[in-house]
Structures are given as structure tokens and as C-alpha cells.
Amino acid sequence: MAENLVITDKGDKESVYKEIIPQLKSLIGHEHDLIANLANISAVLKEAFGFFWVGFYLLKDDQLVLGPFQGPIACTRINFGKGVCGAAWEQHQTIIVDDVNKFPGHIACSSLSLSEIVVPFYFEGKFVGVLDVDSDKTASFDEIDSKYLNQICQLIFDF
Ligand code: SME
């Protein structure tokens, strides 16, 4: 396992994603513990991009419950269809929010969070949880983030 994350090219975010994905594969590819892997994915994304908040919510007893994350404290439980996370769970799709203050029902864990992307992920076709990334700037996320964050979510159970 690599001891340090190596990011040589910070020129554009696509190159950063391309550089961290192989490192994530070697970091989590031989580890079967879900929490350990989600913790390291959160740490890698936080270090690589400096996101305001990055972490996971996991389906437990019909609610999304806070899992491994990096950033300020966050709300612990989210119901089906509620907030951006609950909407991504309900719709089974990645949701990008350019301005969280314009998203009906957005759950504000921090007033400093201004834009957000939420990616649902699955194991053997069953919904497991979501990856949630928040930015303290508006419109931080686009189709590039969606593409690579979805690829990263597909690594979670790729052992
Ligand atoms: N804003 C999210 C809640 C989770 S926090 O951003 C960490 C939502 O609306 O679902």
C-alpha cells in the first residue's frame, strides 16, 4: 500500500482524478472492510481537492446514516427523499446542485456549504449509500466530477 498520496499535476481536475484513481485502487483494492475503504476514499478526495466536506452516508434501517467523512461535523440521519442525499437515493442518480440554497429541501449541515454533488452506490445491484461532496463555492461540480466520482464509487466493492 502506498504511504503517501502523490499528486503531481494540479492543473485541472480531470488530471487529478486520473492520477488518484490508480492510487485508490491500490489503497482499497485488497481491503474488504467497507468502513476502512470509505474512510480512505474520503481522505484521498479531501487531500486531492480540498473539498469543504466529503463523506459517505450508508443505508441502515431505512435511513441514510453518517459514515466515514472528512470535514466539519454533519447531520447523522437523512430520510428517503429528503435533502440532496435522500433525493439521490430516491431517484437512483447522481445529483449536482450548483446552489444549495435553491434546492428545495436541502439539508444544511453547514451554512458554508454552497454547492454539492451526491453519487449513489450499489453492491450487487442493491443500494448501499451515497458519496456526498460539498463545496464552499457555488457551482463547483460538473459532469467531470460526476464521471470520476462514479468511477470511484465503483471501486468500493471491486475486490
Ligand atoms: N446537504 C446534504 C446533507 C448532508 S451534508 O451536506 C454533509 C443534503 O441535503 O442531503
Side-chain angles (χ1 to χ4, degrees):
M1 190 199 90
E3 288 183 4
N4 295 306
L5 186 64
V6 179
I7 300 164
T8 54
D9 183 352
K10 289 217 174 202
D12 66 281
K13 65 182 171 186
E14 185 157 29
S15 351
V16 178
Y17 279 118
K18 284 182 176 167
E19 199 165 12
I20 63 171
I21 283 176
Q23 296 181 73
L24 276 169
K25 280 184 187 167
S26 63
L27 187 60
I28 70 173
H30 301 290
E31 174 55 64
H32 287 226
D33 188 88
L34 177 63
I35 298 302
N37 287 340
L38 300 186
N40 266 335
I41 292 171
S42 304
V44 166
L45 289 172
K46 177 78 172 168
E47 187 175 337
F49 294 101
F51 292 132
F52 176 71
W53 194 94
V54 51
F56 292 88
Y57 283 88
L58 298 171
L59 179 59
K60 291 180 186 173
D61 300 329
D62 291 329
Q63 284 186 309
L64 289 175
V65 181
L66 184 63
F69 70 96
Q70 296 264 320
I73 57 171
C75 43
T76 51
R77 289 175 184 269
I78 297 173
N79 288 321
F80 184 72
K82 300 297 180 189
V84 188
C85 293
W89 172 18
E90 183 175 36
Q91 296 168 26
H92 289 293
Q93 62 183 24
T94 298
I95 297 182
I96 294 172
V97 181
D98 287 343
D99 181 349
V100 297
N101 294 311
K102 293 183 180 155
F103 187 92
H106 168 256
I107 299 165
C109 296
S110 165
S111 59
L112 297 176
S113 171
L114 296 180
S115 60
E116 183 162 3
I117 182 169
V118 178
V119 179
F121 65 99
Y122 303 84
F123 179 58
E124 295 180 340
K126 289 181 76 173
F127 175 77
V128 174
V130 298
L131 167 61
D132 179 14
V133 187
D134 289 19
S135 167
D136 57 3
K137 300 175 186 64
T138 54
S140 287
F141 305 105
D142 57 22
E143 288 309 313
I144 292 175
D145 300 285
S146 175
K147 174 181 171 184
Y148 289 102
L149 292 175
N150 271 280
Q151 283 185 20
I152 289 168
C153 283
Q154 281 169 15
L155 299 177
I156 294 169
F157 296 107
D158 189 19
F159 32 68

Coordinates of all heavy atoms in Angstrom, one line a residue, residues 53 57 66 72-75 78 82-87 100 103 105-110 113 116 118 132 134, ligand 1:
W53 N -16.3 19.5 2.4 CA -16.8 18.3 3.1 C -16.9 17.1 2.1 O -17.4 17.3 1.0 CB -18.2 18.5 3.7 CG -18.6 17.5 4.8 CD1 -18.4 17.6 6.1 CD2 -19.3 16.3 4.5 NE1 -19.0 16.5 6.7 CE2 -19.5 15.7 5.8 CE3 -19.8 15.6 3.4 CZ2 -20.1 14.5 6.0 CZ3 -20.4 14.4 3.6 CH2 -20.6 13.8 4.8
Y57 N -22.8 8.5 3.4 CA -24.0 8.1 4.2 C -24.4 6.7 3.8 O -24.4 6.4 2.6 CB -25.2 9.1 3.9 CG -25.0 10.4 4.7 CD1 -24.3 11.4 4.1 CD2 -25.5 10.6 6.0 CE1 -24.2 12.7 4.8 CE2 -25.4 11.8 6.6 CZ -24.7 12.8 6.0 OH -24.6 14.0 6.7
L66 N -24.8 8.7 8.8 CA -23.5 9.2 8.5 C -22.4 8.2 8.7 O -22.4 7.4 9.6 CB -23.2 10.4 9.5 CG -21.9 11.1 9.4 CD1 -21.8 11.9 8.1 CD2 -21.8 12.1 10.5
P72 N -16.2 19.3 8.5 CA -16.9 19.7 9.7 C -18.0 18.6 10.1 O -18.4 17.8 9.3 CB -17.6 21.0 9.4 CG -16.9 21.5 8.2 CD -16.3 20.3 7.4
I73 N -18.4 18.6 11.4 CA -19.4 17.7 11.8 C -20.7 17.9 10.9 O -20.9 18.9 10.4 CB -19.8 18.0 13.3 CG1 -20.3 19.4 13.5 CG2 -18.7 17.6 14.2 CD1 -20.9 19.7 14.9
A74 N -21.4 16.8 10.8 CA -22.5 16.7 9.9 C -23.7 16.1 10.5 O -23.6 15.4 11.5 CB -22.1 16.0 8.6
C75 N -24.9 16.3 9.9 CA -26.1 15.7 10.4 C -26.0 14.1 10.2 O -25.3 13.6 9.3 CB -27.3 16.2 9.6 SG -27.1 16.3 7.9
I78 N -30.6 10.9 7.5 CA -31.3 11.5 6.4 C -32.4 10.5 5.9 O -32.1 9.3 5.7 CB -30.4 11.9 5.3 CG1 -29.4 12.9 5.7 CG2 -31.2 12.4 4.1 CD1 -28.3 13.3 4.7
K82 N -35.3 13.0 1.3 CA -35.0 14.3 1.9 C -33.6 14.8 1.6 O -32.7 14.0 1.5 CB -35.2 14.1 3.5 CG -36.5 13.7 3.9 CD -37.6 14.7 3.6 CE -39.0 14.3 4.0 NZ -40.0 15.2 3.5
G83 N -33.5 16.1 1.4 CA -32.3 16.7 1.1 C -31.7 16.1 -0.3 O -32.4 15.4 -1.0
V84 N -30.5 16.5 -0.6 CA -29.9 16.1 -1.8 C -29.6 14.6 -1.7 O -29.7 13.8 -2.7 CB -28.6 16.9 -2.1 CG1 -28.1 16.6 -3.5 CG2 -28.9 18.4 -2.0
C85 N -29.1 14.2 -0.6 CA -28.7 12.8 -0.4 C -29.9 11.9 -0.5 O -29.9 10.9 -1.2 CB -28.1 12.6 1.0 SG -26.5 13.4 1.1
G86 N -31.0 12.2 0.2 CA -32.2 11.4 0.1 C -32.8 11.4 -1.3 O -33.5 10.4 -1.8
A87 N -32.7 12.5 -2.0 CA -33.2 12.6 -3.4 C -32.3 11.7 -4.3 O -32.9 11.0 -5.2 CB -33.1 14.1 -3.9
V100 N -27.0 25.3 -3.4 CA -27.8 24.5 -2.4 C -29.0 25.3 -1.9 O -30.1 24.8 -1.5 CB -27.0 24.0 -1.3 CG1 -26.0 23.0 -1.8 CG2 -26.4 25.1 -0.4
F103 N -32.1 24.6 -3.8 CA -32.6 23.2 -3.9 C -33.6 23.0 -2.8 O -33.3 23.0 -1.6 CB -31.4 22.2 -3.7 CG -31.8 20.8 -3.9 CD1 -31.6 20.2 -5.2 CD2 -32.3 20.0 -2.9 CE1 -31.9 18.8 -5.4 CE2 -32.6 18.7 -3.1 CZ -32.4 18.1 -4.3
G105 N -35.7 21.7 0.0 CA -35.5 20.6 1.0 C -34.0 20.3 1.3 O -33.7 19.4 2.0
H106 N -33.1 21.1 0.7 CA -31.7 20.9 1.0 C -31.5 20.9 2.5 O -32.0 21.7 3.3 CB -30.8 22.0 0.4 CG -29.4 22.0 0.8 ND1 -28.9 23.0 1.8 CD2 -28.4 21.2 0.6 CE1 -27.7 22.7 2.0 NE2 -27.3 21.7 1.3
I107 N -30.7 19.9 3.0 CA -30.4 19.8 4.4 C -29.0 20.5 4.6 O -28.0 20.1 4.2 CB -30.3 18.4 4.9 CG1 -31.6 17.7 4.6 CG2 -29.9 18.3 6.3 CD1 -31.6 16.2 4.7
A108 N -29.1 21.6 5.4 CA -27.9 22.4 5.6 C -27.1 22.0 6.8 O -27.5 22.4 7.9 CB -28.2 23.9 5.7
C109 N -26.1 21.1 6.7 CA -25.3 20.8 7.8 C -24.4 21.9 8.2 O -24.0 22.1 9.3 CB -24.5 19.5 7.5 SG -25.5 18.1 7.1
S110 N -24.0 22.7 7.2 CA -23.2 23.9 7.4 C -23.7 25.0 6.5 O -23.9 24.7 5.3 CB -21.7 23.6 7.2 OG -21.0 24.9 7.1
S113 N -21.6 25.6 3.2 CA -21.7 24.7 2.1 C -22.6 25.4 1.0 O -23.7 25.7 1.3 CB -22.2 23.3 2.5 OG -22.5 22.6 1.3
E116 N -23.0 21.2 -4.2 CA -22.9 19.8 -3.7 C -23.1 18.8 -4.9 O -23.8 19.1 -5.8 CB -24.1 19.6 -2.7 CG -24.2 18.3 -2.0 CD -25.1 18.4 -0.8 OE1 -25.6 19.5 -0.5 OE2 -25.2 17.4 -0.1
V118 N -23.9 14.5 -5.1 CA -24.2 13.3 -4.4 C -24.3 12.1 -5.4 O -25.1 12.2 -6.4 CB -25.5 13.4 -3.6 CG1 -25.8 12.1 -2.9 CG2 -25.4 14.5 -2.6
D132 N -21.2 11.9 -0.8 CA -21.6 13.3 -0.8 C -20.4 14.2 -0.7 O -19.5 14.1 0.2 CB -22.5 13.6 0.5 CG -23.0 15.0 0.6 OD1 -23.0 15.7 -0.4 OD2 -23.5 15.3 1.7
D134 N -19.3 18.4 -0.7 CA -19.8 19.7 -0.6 C -18.6 20.7 -0.9 O -17.5 20.5 -0.5 CB -20.3 20.0 0.9 CG -21.6 19.3 1.2 OD1 -21.9 18.4 0.5 OD2 -22.2 19.8 2.2
Ligands
SME1 N1 -26.6 18.7 2.3 C1 -27.0 17.3 2.4 C2 -26.8 16.8 3.8 C3 -25.5 16.2 4.1 S1 -24.3 17.4 4.4 O1 -24.1 18.2 3.2 C4 -22.9 16.7 4.8 C5 -28.3 17.0 1.8 O2 -29.1 18.0 1.5 O3 -28.7 15.9 1.7

